[in-house]
Amino acid sequence: MALAALLAGIRRACATIDAVGGGSDLRGLHGGSLLSTADPRRFAAAFADALQSRARLWLASPDWGAARMAELERIAGGASATIPEGSILIATGGTTGRLRFCVHTPETLCASANAFLEFHGGGPHRTLCVLPLWHVSGLMQLFRAGLSGGSVAFGNPSHPAEFPSGFDPSGAFLSLVPTQLKKLIDEGRADTLRRFAAIVVGGAALDEVLADKARALGLPLSPSYGMTETAALVCALKPEEFLAGKKGVGAALPHASVRIVREDGGIACAERPGRIVVRAASLCTGFAPEAGAIGGALETNDLGYFDDSGSLRVTGRADRVIVSGGEKLDAGEIECAIAATGLVTEVVVIALPDPKWGQIA
């Protein structure tokens, strides 16, 4: 799709952005632009402006403090000269780990959105967005709706059951992290959740107890696997597969291929998982501050295997990153922070399973 058509689609999908006044939220940043705002309508309007200008666009959380914003300035200052114009830089690395940005383009993001639409049957994609737009899981909802002639309604991430005025969940899509899903189930919102066409769950492992509870309630979940590097999901289950009892996060979507690699060359299984390797048309072109292209495949730090039904099962991490509530926490960074207090002589941080957060440190 041509850039002009994509822009028109995003503007139509987010009709409320036309009512946003007060100028753009874009700020200059080392030969490009910085976008960091909590208001999703203002974010969508500024994002469309940045796409039209073909500026290098850095996305940042409005909750970042001075130290993290200074780190962003340093990364942008050192990397902008090597990043093509029109790139969209999306943060990865979590809240306490080393900050870096995935270098995406409209083409990589469109590849992900089109594969999602094909997987879920095409047609105008109507979605309730309760995830932050500076994060890939929120941003991709703009692309899916824009490419399909659909629409986006913006909700409250902290209270995803509080629908905007006039929104009808019947036949719409909803994307949640497991923590949000658990909160909605605990609040007795199952009747409302059942009205959605699909509830895409990602960002962290879906606890089997929570999955079984959602299945028993008849919730149309679509458990998925993906990351910022791949412009969101590359594997997913369809809701009918989930409700029929299929486990894991499904097979690869049309734009991707996923394989499991073990160091000893053996076949991965539940007892001996391997490292997940992804090839996808949506793969980012590189990272900042690192220079150079990512190459044709991404060897992740996730471990898993394919079960007998062909569904990917993600079993853990090969590094010390803890995924809690959809955020990545570096155990080593946490240990250093605790040791720096001088209140302990030795410290080790480990991950424990948690039904609400997925993992806790």
Side-chain angles (χ1 to χ4, degrees):
M1 174 179 280
L3 182 61
L6 172 63
L7 282 168
I10 289 177
R11 291 188 182 279
R12 282 195 305 269
C14 309
T16 55
I17 71 174
D18 294 332
V20 174
S24 176
D25 285 77
L26 295 172
R27 293 198 293 112
L29 180 68
H30 298 290
S33 297
L34 170 67
L35 178 53
S36 177
T37 178
D39 185 326
R41 296 188 310 146
R42 297 190 67 88
F43 187 107
F47 183 81
D49 290 344
L51 281 183
Q52 187 166 17
S53 70
R54 296 292 293 176
R56 299 181 190 91
L57 179 61
W58 300 77
L59 305 185
S61 167
D63 296 326
W64 286 352
R68 183 48 61 98
M69 292 302 293
E71 188 178 2
L72 185 159
E73 294 267 2
R74 177 185 60 77
I75 291 172
S80 283
T82 65
I83 296 169
E85 293 183 1
S87 296
I88 300 162
L89 294 109
I90 307 175
T92 185
T95 55
T96 63
R98 180 174 61 92
L99 179 65
R100 67 176 181 172
F101 289 79
C102 294
V103 183
H104 276 288
T105 67
E107 290 74 23
T108 61
L109 300 181
C110 284
S112 173
N114 280 322
F116 180 99
L117 295 169
E118 181 180 344
F119 178 77
H120 283 290
H125 181 77
R126 193 165 61 88
T127 184
L128 173 64
C129 183
V130 294
L131 295 171
L133 294 181
W134 60 267
H135 192 279
V136 71
S137 57
L139 184 65
M140 290 312 305
Q141 295 181 58
L142 296 186
F143 277 77
R144 295 165 193 161
L147 289 172
S148 67
S151 61
V152 180
F154 297 113
N156 185 340
S158 299
H159 302 283
E162 295 179 358
F163 298 157
S165 177
F167 177 78
D168 180 7
S170 300
F173 282 70
L174 176 66
S175 293
L176 301 172
V177 297
T179 304
Q180 292 173 311
L181 174 64
K182 184 178 187 305
K183 180 178 181 180
L184 289 171
I185 290 176
D186 290 346
E187 291 177 351
R189 303 286 187 168
D191 287 344
T192 299
L193 293 175
R194 275 192 289 269
R195 296 170 61 188
F196 284 91
I199 302 168
V200 181
V201 182
L206 177 62
D207 179 75
E208 281 296 332
V209 174
L210 181 59
D212 288 342
K213 191 170 186 179
R215 192 177 287 112
L217 290 169
L219 305 187
L221 297 196
S222 177
S224 67
Y225 171 74
M227 60 206 75
T228 308
E229 290 86 341
T230 61
L233 57 147
V234 291
C235 289
L237 281 179
K238 291 186 176 179
E240 55 266 31
E241 294 177 309
F242 172 79
L243 291 172
K246 194 169 184 177
K247 298 183 182 297
V249 291
L253 269 62
H255 71 308
S257 65
V258 177
R259 62 190 180 98
I260 311 295
V261 176
R262 271 186 25 194
E263 290 184 1
D264 62 5
I267 298 175
C269 60
E271 293 75 23
R272 301 183 68 183
R275 194 181 292 263
I276 299 172
V277 179
V278 178
R279 291 181 180 271
S282 62
L283 198 59
C284 67
T285 61
F287 296 100
E290 299 93 334
I294 196 172
L298 175 68
E299 185 174 300
T300 75
N301 285 316
D302 296 318
L303 299 175
Y305 68 98
F306 285 102
D307 64 21
D308 292 340
S309 72
S311 182
L312 177 64
R313 303 286 196 100
V314 183
T315 60
R317 298 275 300 186
D319 57 15
R320 299 196 64 213
V321 169
I322 300 166
V323 183
S324 182
E327 297 287 354
K328 294 178 181 177
L329 312 175
D330 189 302
E333 294 278 346
I334 299 173
E335 288 170 351
C336 289
I338 295 173
T341 66
L343 300 175
V344 297
T345 55
E346 294 184 4
V347 58
V348 62
V349 173
I350 62 172
L352 295 175
D354 184 81
K356 179 178 181 181
W357 301 104
Q359 289 181 316
I360 56 173

